[in-house]
Amino acid sequence: MAIESFSEERFPLRVAFGTSGGPERLTEIVRLSTGYEHRNQRHSRSTRRYDAGSGVKSLADLAAVLAFFEARRGKLTGFRFRDPLDFSSAAHGAAVTAFDQAIGTGDGETAAFQLAKRYGSGDGAYVRPIEKPVPGTVLVAVAGVIATDGLLIDETTGLVTFDAPPADGVTITAGFAFDVPVRFDMDQLAINLAAFEAGEIPSIPLIEVRP
C-alpha cells in the first residue's frame, strides 16, 4: 500500500494546545569593514518549528502521540497541526468574518485566489499563504458582499476559485481558521515512562513543510 506524503488528519488537539514554538527566519549577516551590516534572508517565507512535548500532560496524551507518530511513519508523512496562538484570520480573540483578510483584487480574468494572512501593514507587511484552512470555516466576500455561491473552496490547498472571474478593481476578502502543515522532525520517539512520571518532558519536535 502506497503511503501518502501528506495526511489531512490533525495532530491531537489537546496536546497541540500546550505546544511551544513559532516562526523561524534564516538571516545571514555580514559585518563590513565600515561597521555597517549586510543582511539577507535565505527564504522569503518563515518556517514554523514546534516542540509538542510540552503539551503532553498525561499517559493518555503520550499514547495518543505514539499512535499518531506510528500512523505517520515518523518523518515520512506530513499532517495538520493547530498553532496554539496563531490559527485564525481574525485579530486575537475576535470572531472570524468574511472581511478579515484581503486575498486579491479582481481584474476580470483571474478566477482563482490563494487564501493568505497579512502580518504588519504597508510595504513592509509579510503576506503568508494559507494552504490548510480548517474545513467549514472559510468565508469569502467580493466588494464587501458575502459570497455564498458561485465559488469553490479547496480546503486542502487554500485556493478559492470563482465560477466567473470577479470584476476589475473589486476587492476579494476572506476569513478562516487554519492549520499549519508539519511533519515530525525525528524518526524515533524515545519514551521513558519512569522519567515522564517523575516530571521530565519528552522532546517531540515538529517542523513546517510545504504540502
Side-chain angles (χ1 to χ4, degrees), residues 24-42:
E24 176 186 66
R25 294 279 183 175
L26 293 178
T27 306
E28 296 175 337
I29 301 177
V30 177
R31 182 172 291 276
L32 307 177
S33 59
T34 58
Y36 291 99
E37 290 182 343
H38 176 72
R39 294 185 289 272
N40 180 60
Q41 288 204 327
R42 295 171 57 187

Side-chain angles (χ1 to χ4, degrees), residues 12-172:
L13 268 179
R14 66 176 181 271
V15 179
F17 286 142
T19 296
S20 61
E24 176 186 66
R25 294 279 183 175
L26 293 178
T27 306
E28 296 175 337
I29 301 177
V30 177
R31 182 172 291 276
L32 307 177
S33 59
T34 58
Y36 291 99
E37 290 182 343
H38 176 72
R39 294 185 289 272
N40 180 60
Q41 288 204 327
R42 295 171 57 187
H43 304 292
S44 61
R45 294 171 61 171
S46 58
T47 298
R48 279 156 174 74
R49 290 180 178 272
Y50 305 95
D51 192 334
S54 56
V56 176
K57 306 299 184 185
S58 67
L59 290 179
D61 290 344
L62 199 57
V65 172
L66 172 62
F68 196 86
F69 178 85
E70 287 284 46
R72 304 288 85 76
R73 275 54 169 189
K75 293 180 179 180
L76 183 62
T77 303
F79 51 90
R80 287 174 174 259
F81 173 81
R82 175 167 167 166
D83 187 302
L85 177 65
D86 188 7
F87 57 85
S88 171
S89 61
H92 183 68
V96 169
T97 75
F99 315 107
D100 291 343
Q101 302 288 329
I103 63 171
T105 302
D107 58 9
E109 297 180 0
T110 302
F113 298 85
Q114 179 69 49
L115 292 179
K117 181 174 181 179
R118 179 179 295 269
Y119 298 81
S121 59
D123 294 339
Y126 169 56
V127 180
R128 174 188 177 190
I130 300 299
E131 295 155 326
K132 294 296 175 184
V134 176
T137 68
V138 181
L139 303 172
V140 178
V142 179
V145 178
I146 296 176
T148 57
D149 52 24
L151 73 163
L152 176 66
I153 300 168
D154 190 333
E155 295 169 334
T156 65
T157 65
L159 198 65
V160 177
T161 305
F162 292 90
D163 294 345
D168 186 39
V170 303
T171 300
I172 298 94

